C-alpha cells in the first residue's frame, strides 16, 4: 500500500457492478466542514481515471452531487457516493457533510461503510466533533485511517499534525497512529513557504515525486535516508507490536532485518482489524495534472488495507414480528437484506434510494418487501408493503449508470421505491425481514411553520411527509395544545435546508412563526363559583343553576369531578352535563387561554326547571361556574420543565452550568465519563431552551451534546406569568 507498484492504467476508472464482495471496499470520509473531503474525493476520482482532466465526470455531470442548496451554503449538506475502480477493486467512496447539523448524513455514511477515512486539515487541526466520531467508530471497532490535507497552506506542518493526530486519536497507545510517509518539499517561494512536491515511503524508502502531475518513483539520495530513520524505526515497531506473529518483535529486537513485504502484510492486517491507524498526506492535482499528491498511496491503502464487506459482522436481523434471524456473512446467495441509507427526490425520476445490500442480491424490476423503521414519534408512518423496484444504477455525480444487479456488500441507487424511507429494510417479498435501525440524534431545535397561502396549505402536508421520509433526523409534530406545525431540526443550517427543500423541490412556501410551549393553568387556592344560565325570552326557555367548589390537586392529577348534590337539587341526568361543561371550559382555560389541570371540582348544589332545564343548559352553567370560581382565585400559569442532560468536555463544564443557571435551570448533579467529559444533569423550563441546540454548540465549540425529556409542569415566576397574561389579553 503506497509502496507497491503503480496500478495498471487499465485497472482504474469508472466502477460499475461488483462480481464478489471481496472486490468491494466501502469507505466513508469523515471530517469537519472545510477539511477538504469533497476536494479529496475529486482528486481520488481523477487519479482513478473516472473523470477527465477538467475534473468532470466523463460524459458530463460533476463528481459531487451538488444541488442548489449546497451552492448557496458553500458546503456539503448531504451524503454523496462516488464509486471508482482501482487495481480491480471497486471503491465506494461516501462523502459526508462536516457540519454538525447534518450528522444524520454522516451516520448514514458510517452505516453503509466498512471503514472510515478521517480527513484532517494541516492548517486547522482536529476539532472536538471529529474526536467524538472517532470514539464512535472505536466503540464498534471500525477500521480507520487519517489523511492530512491542505498541505499547501502557509502554516501547514505535516509533522506537527501527525503528532496532534496521535494525541487526539491514539488514546492510551499513540504508537498506533503513525505516518506511512513523510513529505518532500520543493524550493521555497517568495513567501518563504516550501511546497510539498512528493512523498518518501518509510517502509520502502522510495521517493514518489508528484511535481510533474504524474507520480514518479525513484530511489532517494543517500543523505536523505538518515532523515527518515527515526520515523521509520518507530513505524516498524508500531506495526510489529500489532502483528499476529508473536515472534516478529523478538526477531526485530534481536537485530534481524524484517522483509518489507512482511511489514506491509502485517500493516494491512492491523489496519483491517482496526488496531493500527496510519496517517497519510494528500493534495489535489494542479490544473492539467492527472494525479494529486498522495492519491495513489491513499487508493492503495484503501484497496490493500481496508476490510472487505466479508470481514464486517453481519447486522442484527429479525422477522417483521420480532423473531431473531441468523444471516451468513455477506452471502450474495443468501436471503435478501438491504437497507435504504439515503432517500432523495429527483424531479425527473421521482424518489431515488441509495441502498446498501448486506445479504443476497438485488435485481432490477423485482418485487421486494419494504419494512418501516418505527419512527412514528418523528412523524414517519410505519409501513410493511410490497413494491416493485425500478432500475438499479451506480451513482456518479448527477449521472446514473445502469446496473444488472447489486450483490451483498455493494451499494446501488434504486428507482421508483415510492414508499421506502431512509432507514427502511428491503427484503424478499416471501421472506420479509427487518434490520435493526441505526442510532440517530434527536432533533432539538423547534421550527414552527405555517403555509404562506391557501395554495401552499393544500401542498404542505405532502411536502412535509416527503421531507421527513428523506431525513430521519427531522421530526414532524402536529402540536395539539398549541395547534402549531413544528419541524424539529438539528440546528439552524438544518432548518434552512428544510425550508429551502420545501420551496424548491415541493413548491411549498411557508412562514416561520414563534414557537409556543404547552403552558397550563391551575388553581392555587380553594374557590367557589355559581353558574346561572336562565333565559325565558320566547319559545322554549333555558334554565340551569349549579354551585361548585374548586380546589387544587397535586401535579399530574388531571381534573377530578365529584358529585355531592343532595335532595335532587340537580337531577341525576344533568350531573354529567355539568361535568361536561366544566371539562370543556377547563380545556379552554380560565386566565390566559391555556388548559386547566390538577383541580378537583365538587358539585354542591343547584336548581332545575321541570320544562326549561336541558343537557345544553347545564353544560353552559357548569362552564360559567368554573369561570366565576376563577375570578376570586389565584391562578397559576404552569410551564413545562425538561430534564436536560449535557455531555460536555471538562473544559466547558463551568460555562455550561453557569449558562443553565441563567436559564432558570436547577443543576441536579454531574457525573464524570470517559474521554475527559462530564455529564451534567439539570431541570430547565422548556421556554428557556428553545434555541439551546444552537447556543450550546457555540458555547462548547461544537463539542457538547444534550438530550431533553419532559419532567413535569410547574408554576412560572409571577413576573413572567403576568407578561404572558398581558400578551393573551392583547391578542
Amino acid at each position: 500500500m503506497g509502496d507497491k507498484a503503480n496500478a495498471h492504467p487499465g485497472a482504474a476508472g469508472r466502477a460499475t457492478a461488483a462480481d464478489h464482495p471481496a472486490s468491494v471496499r466501502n469507505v466513508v470520509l469523515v471530517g469537519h466542514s472545510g477539511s477538504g473531503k469533497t476536494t479529496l474525493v475529486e482528486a481520488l476520482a481523477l487519479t482513478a481515471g473516472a473523470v477527465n482532466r477538467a475534473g468532470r465526470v466523463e460524459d458530463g455531470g460533476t463528481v459531487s452531487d451538488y444541488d442548489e442548496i449546497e451552492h448557496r451554503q458553500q458546503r456539503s449538506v448531504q451524503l454523496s457516493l462516488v464509486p471508482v475502480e482501482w487495481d480491480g477493486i471497486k471503491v465506494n467512496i461516501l462523502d459526508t457533510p462536516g457540519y454538525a447539523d447534518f450528522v444524520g448524513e454522516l451516520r448514514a455514511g458510517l452505516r453503509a461503510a466498512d471503514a472510515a477515512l478521517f480527513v484532517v486539515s494541516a492548517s486547522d487541526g482536529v476539532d472536538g466533533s471529529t474526536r467524538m466520531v472517532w470514539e464512535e467508530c472505536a466503540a464498534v471497532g471500525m477500521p480507520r485511517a487519517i489523511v492530512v490535507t491542505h498541505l499547501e497552506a502557509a502554516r501547514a506542518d505535516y509533522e506537527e499534525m501527525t503528532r496532534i493526530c496521535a494525541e487526539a486519536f491514539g488514546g492510551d497507545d499513540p504508537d498506533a497512529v503513525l505516518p506511512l510517509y513523510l513529505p518532500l518539499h520543493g524550493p521555497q517561494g517568495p513567501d518563504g513557504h516550501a511546497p510539498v512536491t512528493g512523498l518518501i515511503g518509510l517502509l520502502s524508502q522510495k521517493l514518489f515525486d508528484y511535481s510533474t502531475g504524474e507520480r514518479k518513483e525513484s530511489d532517494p539520495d543517500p543523505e536523505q535516508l538518515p532523515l527518515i530513520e527515526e520515523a521509520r524505526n518507530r513505524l516498524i515497531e508500531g506495526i510489529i507490536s500489532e502483528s499476529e506473529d508473536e515472534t516478529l518483535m523478538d526477531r526485530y529486537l534481536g537485530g534481524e532485518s524484517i522483509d518489507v513485504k512482511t511489514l506491509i502484510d502485517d500493516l494491512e492486517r492491523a489496519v483491517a482489524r482496526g488496531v493500527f491507524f496510519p496517517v497519510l498526506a494528500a493534495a489535489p492535482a494542479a490544473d492539467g495534472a492527472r494525479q494529486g499528491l498522495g492519491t495513489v498511496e491513499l487508493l492503495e491503502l484503501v484497496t490493500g488495507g481496508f476490510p472487505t464487506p466479508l470481514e464486517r459482522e453481519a447486522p442484527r436481523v429479525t422477522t417483521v414480528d420480532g423473531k431473531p434471524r441468523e444471516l451468513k456473512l455477506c452471502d450474495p446467495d443468501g436471503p435478501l437484506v438491504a437497507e435504504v441509507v439515503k432517500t432523495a427526490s429527483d424531479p425527473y425520476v421521482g424518489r431515488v434510494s441509495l441502498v446498501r445490500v448486506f445479504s443476497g442480491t438485488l435485481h432490477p424490476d423485482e418485487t421486494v418487501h419494504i419494512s418501516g423503521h418505527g419512527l412514528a414519534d418523528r412523524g414517519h408512518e410505519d409501513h410493511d408493503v410490497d413494491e416493485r423496484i425500478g432500475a438499479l444504477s451506480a451513482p456518479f455525480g448527477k449521472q446514473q449508470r445502469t446496473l444488472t444487479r447489486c450483490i451483498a456488500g455493494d451499494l446501488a441507487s434504486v428507482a421508483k421505491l415510492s414508499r421506502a424511507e431512509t432507514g427502511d429494510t428491503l427484503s424478499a417479498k416471501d421472506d420479509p425481514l427487518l434490520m435493526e435501525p441505526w442510532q440517530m440524534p434527536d432533533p432539538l431545535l423547534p421550527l414552527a411553520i405555517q403555509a404562506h397561502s391557501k395554495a401552499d396549505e393544500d401542498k404542505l402536508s405532502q411536502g412535509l411527509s416527503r421531507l421527513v421520509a428523506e431525513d430521519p433526523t427531522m421530526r414532524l409534530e402536529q402540536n395539539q395544545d398549541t395547534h402549531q406545525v413544528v419541524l424539529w431540526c438539528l440546528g439552524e443550517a438544518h432548518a434552512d435546508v428544510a425550508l429551502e427543500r420545501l420551496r424548491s423541490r415541493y413548491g411549498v412556501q411557508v412562514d416561520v412563526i414563534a414557537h409556543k410551549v404547552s403552558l397550563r393553568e391551575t388553581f392555587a387556592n380553594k374557590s367557589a363559583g355559581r353558574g346561572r344560565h336562565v333565559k325565558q325570552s320566547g319559545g322554549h326557555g333555558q334554565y340551569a343553576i349549579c354551585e361548585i367548589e374548586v380546589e387544587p390537586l397535586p401535579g399530574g392529577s388531571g381534573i377530578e369531578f365529584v358529585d355531592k348534590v343532595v335532595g335532587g337539587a340537580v337531577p341525576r341526568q344533568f350531573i354529567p352535563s355539568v361535568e361536561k361543561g366544566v371539562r370543556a371550559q377547563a380545556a379552554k382555560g380560565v386566565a390566559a387561554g391555556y388548559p386547566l389541570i390538577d383541580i378537583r371540582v365538587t358539585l354542591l348544589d343547584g336548581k332545575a326547571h321541570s320544562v326549561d332545564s336541558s343537557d345544553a343548559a347545564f353544560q353552559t352553567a357548569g362552564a360559567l361556574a368554573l369561570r366565576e370560581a376563577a375570578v376570586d382565585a389565584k391562578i397559576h400559569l404552569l410551564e413545562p420543565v425538561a430534564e436536560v442532560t449535557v455531555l460536555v468536555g471538562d473544559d466547558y463544564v463551568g460555562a455550561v452550568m453557569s449558562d443553565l443557571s441563567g436559564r432558570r435551570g436547577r443543576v441536579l448533579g454531574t457525573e464524570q465519563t470517559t474521554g475527559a467529559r462530564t455529564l451534567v444533569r439539570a431541570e430547565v423550563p422548556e421556554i428557556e431552551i428553545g434555541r439551546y441546540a444552537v447556543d450550546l454548540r457555540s458555547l462548547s465549540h461544537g463539542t457538547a451534546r444534550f438530550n431533553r425529556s419532559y419532567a413535569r409542569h410547574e408554576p412560572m415566576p409571577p413576573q413572567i406569568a403576568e407578561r404572558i397574561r398581558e400578551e393573551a389579553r392583547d391578542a
Side-chain angles (χ1 to χ4, degrees):
M1 66 173 70
D3 289 323
K4 298 177 181 178
N6 280 324
H8 299 293
R14 297 192 303 266
T16 53
D19 295 323
H20 191 274
S23 63
V24 178
R25 304 292 184 275
N26 297 310
V27 183
V28 61
L29 268 60
V30 178
H32 67 80
S33 185
S35 61
K37 297 185 299 300
T38 301
T39 302
L40 178 61
V41 172
E42 293 172 346
L44 292 171
L46 183 62
T47 295
V51 291
N52 61 34
R53 293 192 173 222
R56 309 290 289 186
V57 178
E58 293 179 6
D59 304 322
T62 57
V63 172
S64 295
D65 187 13
Y66 296 127
D67 60 21
E68 294 180 5
I69 299 171
E70 290 181 314
H71 278 300
R72 278 192 287 274
Q73 297 226 352
Q74 293 296 300
R75 61 182 166 216
S76 298
V77 302
Q78 60 185 353
L79 176 72
S80 63
L81 169 65
V82 176
V84 301
E85 188 171 331
W86 186 260
D87 202 17
I89 302 295
K90 180 181 181 182
V91 181
N92 289 316
I93 305 173
L94 293 149
D95 183 18
T96 64
Y99 196 62
D101 278 17
F102 308 107
V103 67
E105 303 284 323
L106 168 62
R107 295 281 176 85
L110 290 170
R111 177 72 161 207
D114 303 312
L117 191 61
F118 280 72
V119 183
V120 176
S121 169
S123 57
D124 296 334
V126 181
D127 70 338
S129 59
T130 303
R131 295 176 193 236
M132 294 171 76
V133 178
W134 180 277
E135 291 172 7
E136 285 186 27
C137 293
V140 296
M142 176 175 276
R144 285 146 283 157
I146 302 135
V147 57
V148 179
T149 60
H150 296 162
L151 298 173
E152 71 282 0
R155 62 181 186 277
D157 187 334
Y158 179 77
E159 289 79 3
E160 173 64 11
M161 187 51 57
T162 59
R163 185 196 65 78
I164 291 172
C165 288
E167 181 181 281
F169 302 137
D172 297 332
D173 187 12
D175 285 338
V177 181
L178 293 171
L180 299 185
Y181 304 88
L182 292 183
L184 295 173
H185 295 272
Q188 285 190 354
D191 58 355
H193 177 64
V196 178
T197 58
L199 302 169
I200 183 167
L202 294 179
L203 293 182
S204 66
Q205 302 183 93
K206 295 288 186 179
L207 295 184
F208 305 101
D209 185 3
Y210 283 86
S211 60
T212 64
E214 298 284 340
R215 181 179 186 260
K216 295 181 179 179
E217 180 182 328
S218 64
D219 293 322
D221 295 331
E223 63 269 16
Q224 290 178 307
L225 292 179
L227 301 178
I228 69 168
E229 183 176 3
E230 181 181 349
R232 184 174 192 269
N233 290 338
R234 190 179 176 196
L235 174 61
I236 291 173
E237 291 175 9
I239 294 170
I240 291 174
S241 66
E242 300 296 345
S243 173
E244 295 175 327
D245 183 351
E246 297 179 357
T247 69
L248 204 57
M249 181 62 79
D250 292 336
R251 289 158 51 195
Y252 175 73
L253 294 177
E256 181 180 335
S257 178
I258 307 300
D259 180 63
V260 170
K261 183 180 184 307
T262 299
L263 291 171
I264 292 176
D265 290 344
D266 274 351
L267 170 63
E268 291 178 346
R269 283 191 288 266
V271 171
R273 285 173 22 235
V275 296
F276 189 84
F277 315 103
V279 183
L280 297 90
D287 290 343
R290 191 176 74 84
Q291 293 177 332
L293 182 139
T295 52
V296 171
E297 288 76 14
L298 198 51
L299 286 166
E300 289 180 346
L301 167 71
V302 169
T303 54
F306 278 172
T308 74
L310 291 166
E311 298 169 75
R312 177 173 178 166
E313 183 179 346
R316 291 181 59 185
V317 176
T318 66
T319 60
V320 291
D321 56 0
K323 296 178 182 177
R325 178 74 175 271
E326 292 294 329
L327 287 182
K328 289 177 64 177
L329 198 61
C330 199
D331 180 9
D333 297 321
L336 177 63
V337 178
E339 186 170 39
V340 179
V341 295
K342 176 180 171 59
T343 308
S345 295
D346 186 281
Y348 302 106
V349 299
R351 187 174 293 185
V352 178
S353 304
L354 178 62
V355 171
R356 161 79 191 251
V357 181
F358 287 91
S359 174
T361 299
L362 189 63
H363 297 93
D365 300 319
E366 70 176 317
T367 300
V368 299
H369 183 80
I370 303 172
S371 296
H373 40 52
L375 289 179
D377 60 333
R378 295 194 179 184
H380 300 253
E381 180 185 355
D382 283 344
H383 46 274
D384 280 288
V385 296
D386 291 339
E387 190 169 0
R388 185 177 180 181
I389 67 175
L392 299 183
S393 57
F396 205 105
K398 292 183 178 178
Q399 289 186 309
Q400 299 287 333
R401 292 189 172 87
T402 302
L403 301 177
T404 57
R405 70 190 184 286
C406 182
I407 64 168
D410 204 0
L411 291 101
S413 288
V414 181
K416 297 184 179 179
L417 282 177
S418 61
R419 293 293 304 277
E421 301 183 1
T422 302
D424 281 3
T425 303
L426 307 185
S427 56
K429 64 176 182 178
D430 55 353
D431 187 15
L433 299 171
L434 181 64
M435 285 184 63
E436 183 180 48
W438 71 83
Q439 186 178 7
M440 282 291 184
D442 289 328
L444 297 169
L445 180 69
L447 185 73
I449 58 174
Q450 63 183 18
H452 182 70
S453 67
K454 180 63 171 67
D456 295 309
E457 189 173 335
D458 295 338
K459 298 181 290 184
L460 180 59
S461 178
Q462 185 179 26
L464 289 174
S465 65
R466 289 181 177 178
L467 200 64
V468 297
E470 295 178 12
D471 189 351
T473 64
M474 189 171 292
R475 176 161 61 92
L476 177 62
E477 176 192 8
Q478 307 273 356
N479 193 296
Q480 300 302 312
D481 292 330
T482 64
H483 308 292
Q484 288 188 320
V485 176
V486 183
L487 272 178
W488 287 85
C489 305
L490 294 174
E492 287 182 308
H494 193 207
D496 290 344
V497 167
L499 294 176
E500 181 60 23
R501 283 179 174 158
L502 275 177
R503 184 191 65 79
S504 60
R505 287 187 182 179
Y506 308 121
V508 182
Q509 188 78 32
V510 298
D511 298 323
V512 178
I513 57 178
H515 176 247
K516 299 176 182 178
V517 300
S518 300
L519 302 182
R520 298 286 187 269
E521 301 173 1
T522 195
F523 278 59
N525 59 298
K526 185 181 291 188
S527 182
R530 185 171 189 266
R532 184 177 186 275
H533 183 60
V534 177
K535 290 188 176 180
Q536 299 293 337
S537 56
H540 200 286
Q542 299 181 53
Y543 191 97
I545 298 174
C546 63
E547 296 181 7
I548 63 171
E549 182 182 76
V550 184
E551 57 187 313
L553 292 178
S557 300
I559 297 178
E560 182 180 326
F561 185 83
V562 179
D563 169 26
K564 286 191 176 180
V565 174
V566 294
V570 177
R572 305 307 300 170
Q573 69 269 27
F574 295 135
I575 290 176
S577 304
V578 176
E579 180 179 359
K580 189 174 181 180
V582 165
R583 291 187 180 276
Q585 184 62 53
K588 298 176 184 177
V590 292
Y594 298 103
L596 186 66
I597 60 172
D598 301 335
I599 56 170
R600 176 185 292 122
V601 178
T602 303
L603 178 59
L604 300 174
D605 200 359
K607 292 183 181 180
H609 188 277
S610 58
V611 176
D612 294 337
S613 290
S614 65
D615 169 66
F618 272 100
Q619 284 190 46
T620 303
L624 291 171
L626 185 61
R627 281 154 54 183
E628 183 178 290
V631 172
D632 296 326
K634 181 179 182 181
I635 305 297
H636 277 161
L637 276 188
L638 305 178
E639 61 181 339
V641 175
E643 184 175 329
V644 175
T645 57
V646 184
L647 183 63
V648 60
D650 292 346
D651 293 342
Y652 300 104
V653 171
V656 165
M657 292 174 67
S658 176
D659 178 71
L660 290 172
S661 297
R663 298 172 186 269
R664 297 191 285 124
R666 295 183 292 273
V667 176
L668 304 179
T670 61
E671 177 184 331
Q672 196 67 36
T673 65
T674 58
R677 287 202 287 272
T678 298
L679 189 69
V680 179
R681 289 189 173 87
E683 291 183 344
V684 191
E686 288 189 9
I687 201 170
E688 301 287 350
I689 54 174
R691 290 183 51 81
Y692 193 57
V694 176
D695 299 338
L696 179 63
R697 184 178 301 164
S698 175
L699 185 67
S700 66
H701 297 273
T703 62
R705 299 174 182 173
F706 85 103
N707 287 305
R708 56 182 279 185
S709 59
Y710 171 77
R712 63 186 172 278
H713 275 74
E714 65 179 34
M716 300 180 82
Q719 65 275 17
I720 299 177
E722 184 55 35
R723 187 184 75 234
I724 289 177
R725 287 192 184 95
E726 290 177 359
E727 291 173 355
R729 285 193 291 267
D730 294 339

